[in-house]
Amino acid sequence: MKDLFDYCKFGDLNLNSRIIRTGLWESERESSGNLTPEIYNRYENIAASGVGLIITELISLYPRDAFSKYSHTPHFKRFVREFKDLTDLVHVYDVPIFAQLGFVQFNKHAEQNMRVEDLSIEDIRKIQTDFIITCQKIDYAGFDGVQIALGNYYFLTRFISPYFNKREDKYGGSTVNRLRIVLEMIKVIKQNTKLHINVRLNAFEIQSGGMTIDDTIEIAKLLEKHGVDSLQITRPRSPQFFSKDNDRTPSEFTSREIKKKNPLIEESEKIMENVNIPVIMGGGVNNQNQINNILNKSKIEFISMQRPFVADPTFLVEWELKGNGQSKCIMCNNCYWKKTSTCFFPRSCKDKF
C-alpha cells in the first residue's frame, strides 16, 4: 500500500514523502532584499517536517506585476546570494526545492496589462529572454528545479488558452502555436541550466471556449516531448469542488466516492495515462486519512498542499508521529484571496472545527 510518508522517486530526485508543498504569496520582505529571518525559519520548519518537495512562494518575473508588494522578484541585486542561503538550508534536510516563476500582467511603457494579441514579436522575445535569464539565476542559486506557472490565470496561462489567445500568427491558433512561446523557452532553459522543469497546468478552464481536459492532455504531451520533467495539475478555485467530509475513515470511502468528491483526481489520472513523467495533483486535501485514501484508491502518486502549510508549517511532524492527522487549516481561503503567507483565522477559533 502507498503511504504519504513513503520514500519515493520524482524523476531523478529522491523525496522523503509524497507531499509537495506549493507556495502561495509572500507577505514580508526586507527593503534591501528578498528574504527576512522569518522566511528562512519558515522554510527550515517546512523542510524539517517530512515534506517531499518544496515549491517556493511565487517569484514574480516583473517587479510591477499585480501581486502582493512583498512578492519575491529576481531584480534584487542579492537575489542569487539570498536564495542560495535558502536552498542550502533546505538541502540540509535532504529536501529538493523548486522556484515558482510567473507573472500576471505584461506592461510596456504606458501600455498596461497588455492583451495576448497586442504583444509584438519583440515583446514575446523579451518575455522569453527574461524567463531564461531568471532561470539561470535560479540555477546559480542552487534550486533543484523551476515551476513555470501556466495554471490559474497567470499571463502565460492566458497565452495558451483558446479563450484568451486570439492571435493569427505562429503564436496563436492551434494548440502547438499557442504553446510555442513556452516550448521555445524550455528548449533554451534545458540547454543552459541543470534545472528540473515542472509546469503547473489547469486541468481545464471554466469559461466556455476555454481549455478542455482534452486540450490539457495535448499540451501535457507536447510539454513532455519538448523536455518538461514533471507536471502539477490544478484548476480555478470553486467551493463545490472539494468536500469537507474529512472525518470518515479510509474504509468508508470507495474509489467512486473519492472521485466524485474531488474531480481533480480523475482529471489528473487522465493526464497520467498520456505522459511518462511525474504528475502532481494540486490541492483540496487537508487530512491524513483522506490523502492515503486517494493514494490507494487512485493512480495518484504525489499530492500538493498549500494552505495547510500556511496554517502550520510543521504539521507533518505530528501526522507522522500520531497518524490520522487533521490540518488546522479550515480552508477559509483568506490567505489566498488576501495574497499573503499568513493565516488570518484565529487559532482559538480553529479548535472549534
Side-chain angles (χ1 to χ4, degrees):
M1 291 182 65
K2 292 182 288 186
D3 185 84
L4 69 91
F5 289 110
D6 288 339
Y7 291 96
C8 51
K9 296 286 290 185
F10 186 84
D12 293 333
L13 300 172
N14 296 311
L15 305 191
N16 295 325
S17 75
R18 299 181 184 274
I19 299 300
I20 315 299
R21 181 271 190 174
T22 303
L24 286 166
W25 322 104
E26 192 50 80
S27 58
E28 53 192 350
R29 186 180 74 204
E30 292 180 340
S31 60
S32 59
N34 275 290
L35 306 179
T36 65
E38 291 77 16
I39 293 174
Y40 285 110
N41 289 339
R42 185 200 318 149
Y43 276 88
E44 182 171 20
N45 284 333
I46 294 171
S49 72
V51 73
L53 166 67
I54 294 175
I55 301 174
T56 67
E57 269 80 31
L58 183 85
I59 296 173
S60 183
L61 191 64
Y62 298 116
R64 292 189 297 146
D65 199 13
F67 288 108
S68 161
K69 63 181 179 179
Y70 298 110
S71 290
H72 301 314
T73 171
H75 295 271
F76 279 106
K77 292 182 179 178
R78 297 195 301 177
F79 177 88
V80 172
R81 176 182 173 182
E82 292 186 359
F83 273 102
K84 183 62 167 66
D85 290 339
L86 180 67
T87 59
D88 285 347
L89 180 61
V90 169
H91 288 153
V92 167
Y93 298 92
D94 294 323
V95 174
I97 180 169
F98 292 177
Q100 182 185 170
L101 183 61
F103 66 105
V104 170
Q105 294 182 352
F106 184 75
N107 305 314
K108 183 173 68 174
H109 307 303
E111 299 177 78
Q112 302 292 303
N113 198 14
M114 295 176 65
R115 298 180 303 171
V116 169
E117 55 265 35
D118 293 334
L119 266 63
S120 67
I121 296 299
E122 289 74 21
D123 296 329
I124 290 173
R125 294 291 175 261
K126 173 174 173 49
I127 290 170
Q128 292 175 318
T129 301
D130 292 340
F131 250 94
I132 292 163
I133 291 172
T134 301
C135 283
Q136 288 179 311
K137 291 182 178 181
I138 287 168
D139 194 21
Y140 296 152
F143 284 97
D144 302 282
V146 60
Q147 180 180 84
I148 299 176
L150 296 188
N152 304 111
Y153 288 103
Y154 293 101
F155 187 82
L156 291 181
T157 312
R158 301 199 297 275
F159 216 106
I160 69 173
S161 167
Y163 179 85
F164 292 100
N165 187 337
K166 305 301 182 184
R167 298 180 68 94
E168 297 181 353
D169 61 2
K170 67 178 183 178
Y171 291 96
S174 67
T175 302
V176 68
N177 279 358
R178 299 194 311 274
L179 193 61
R180 188 182 303 276
I181 184 174
V182 179
L183 299 180
E184 291 174 342
M185 287 193 311
I186 289 168
K187 179 180 179 180
V188 181
I189 294 168
K190 296 294 285 189
Q191 290 173 341
N192 290 277
T193 75
K194 303 182 296 295
L195 296 172
H196 176 118
I197 298 180
N198 174 273
V199 170
R200 189 173 181 176
L201 279 174
N202 288 331
F204 60 80
E205 293 176 328
I206 295 175
Q207 65 272 11
S208 177
M211 285 170 49
T212 66
I213 183 62
D214 290 334
D215 293 325
T216 302
I217 289 171
E218 183 179 359
I219 288 171
K221 292 164 70 174
L222 285 167
L223 290 170
E224 179 186 22
K225 180 180 178 180
H226 285 81
V228 166
D229 299 292
S230 63
L231 301 170
Q232 180 171 328
I233 307 304
T234 186
R235 67 192 303 167
R237 294 182 183 275
S238 184
Q240 72 268 26
F241 287 148
F242 301 113
S243 170
K244 296 185 72 172
D245 185 6
N246 294 324
D247 297 325
R248 296 167 65 186
T249 62
S251 61
E252 293 180 279
F253 287 97
T254 66
S255 298
R256 181 175 297 179
E257 283 180 301
I258 290 176
K259 293 178 182 180
K260 181 179 178 181
K261 293 177 182 298
N262 190 339
L264 192 55
I265 298 171
E266 185 173 348
E267 292 145 10
S268 298
E269 285 183 315
K270 289 178 181 178
I271 294 166
M272 292 173 65
E273 291 168 358
N274 286 275
V275 297
N276 294 305
I277 54 177
V279 175
I280 306 165
M281 189 195 83
V285 292
N286 71 346
N287 80 68
Q288 191 168 357
N289 283 345
Q290 182 185 31
I291 292 170
N292 280 330
N293 197 49
I294 290 171
L295 291 172
N296 286 290
K297 294 186 181 295
S298 74
K299 298 176 183 177
I300 303 300
E301 299 281 344
F302 306 99
I303 291 178
S304 168
M305 302 180 78
Q306 294 179 327
R307 294 161 291 178
F309 282 103
V310 177
D312 180 3
T314 66
F315 72 93
L316 287 176
V317 174
E318 184 176 350
W319 283 24
E320 187 167 20
L321 287 173
K322 297 183 178 180
N324 193 24
Q326 172 75 38
S327 170
K328 296 175 182 178
C329 173
I330 65 167
M331 297 190 177
C332 67
N333 264 347
N334 276 319
C335 61
Y336 182 84
W337 298 118
K338 295 181 180 180
K339 295 181 171 59
T340 174
S341 58
T342 303
C343 182
F344 285 87
F345 213 91
R347 300 249 170 170
S348 58
C349 294
K350 290 176 190 175
D351 295 337
K352 299 176 184 179
F353 290 84

